[in-house]
């Protein structure tokens, strides 16, 4: 028992050292926990950065795919437009070529016949200027002096 009393006397005499040793042990435990928390935080940051980089790559892939689809669509549309025959120019050339044939010369209107057609159309548009009452049969329908084109 004297050993226990000696140890108790030693602790009573140097209790400050025991307190310091206890606090130093707590510091070591908390330092280990702090280091583990820091490591976990840095791992989370690395994972978050990897997720962000992956999202950026996915977004870039989607934008690249959209740009390629858009370019392909524009190319297809341009090819379709280029494949079309210019309708107005082609029709104009067709009329000119037809007018140079014998049937076309007979059928195409000269300037005086166009003016007569314009007068006829304006008379149709303004029926009040006609002196004959509607329904009167004083004049016969004029015969068409223009021969029909070949093949009709």
């Amino acid at each position: 028992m004297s050993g226990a009393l000696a140890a108790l006397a030693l602790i009573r005499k140097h209790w400050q050292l025991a307190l310091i040793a206890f606090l130093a042990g707590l510091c070591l435990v908390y330092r280990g926990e702090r280091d583990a928390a820091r490591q976990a935080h840095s791992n989370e940051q690395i994972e978050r950065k990897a997720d962000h980089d992956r999202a950026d790559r996915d977004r870039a892939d989607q934008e690249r795919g959209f740009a390629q689809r858009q370019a392909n669509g524009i190319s297809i549309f341009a090819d379709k437009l280029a494949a079309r025959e210019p309708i107005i120019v082609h029709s104009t050339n067709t009329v000119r070529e037809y007018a140079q044939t014998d049937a076309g010369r007979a059928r195409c209107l000269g300037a005086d016949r166009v003016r007569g057609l314009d007068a006829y159309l304006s008379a149709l548009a303004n029926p009040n200027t006609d002196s004959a009452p509607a329904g009167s049969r004083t004049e016969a329908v004029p015969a068409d002096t223009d021969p029909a084109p070949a093949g009709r």
Side-chain angles (χ1 to χ4, degrees):
M1 207 165 220
S2 72
L5 287 175
L8 189 59
L10 186 63
I11 291 175
R12 195 179 286 176
K13 185 177 181 182
H14 299 291
W15 66 271
Q16 295 93 359
L17 291 176
L19 181 63
I20 290 173
F22 176 73
L23 290 176
L26 283 179
C27 285
L28 289 175
V29 169
Y30 286 138
R31 181 182 292 176
E33 289 180 8
R34 184 195 66 195
D35 290 343
R38 282 184 180 172
Q39 184 64 35
H41 180 69
S42 65
N43 289 343
E44 287 176 7
Q45 285 181 338
I46 290 170
E47 289 177 12
R48 194 175 307 125
K49 183 169 177 13
D51 289 343
H52 183 70
D53 291 344
R54 193 176 311 117
D56 285 345
R57 275 194 310 268
D58 291 345
R59 190 175 315 117
D61 289 343
Q62 288 175 351
E63 288 176 0
R64 189 178 314 110
F66 173 73
Q68 288 174 348
R69 285 191 303 275
Q70 189 176 25
N72 289 340
I74 290 171
S75 174
I76 290 170
F77 181 70
D79 290 344
K80 285 182 180 179
L81 282 180
R84 288 184 181 177
E85 293 183 25
I87 296 171
I88 296 171
V89 173
H90 181 73
S91 297
T92 304
N93 289 340
T94 302
V95 170
R96 284 185 189 146
E97 291 170 3
Y98 179 70
Q100 292 173 357
T101 63
D102 293 334
R105 272 188 230 109
R107 190 71 180 151
C108 290
L109 299 178
D112 57 337
R113 291 184 68 197
V114 171
R115 282 188 214 102
L117 184 61
D118 288 341
Y120 172 72
L121 291 176
S122 66
L124 281 178
N126 299 324
N128 296 338
T129 60
D130 194 278
S131 61
S136 71
R137 299 182 187 260
T138 57
E139 293 183 18
V141 176
D144 188 11
T145 59
D146 194 20
R152 250 176 141 180

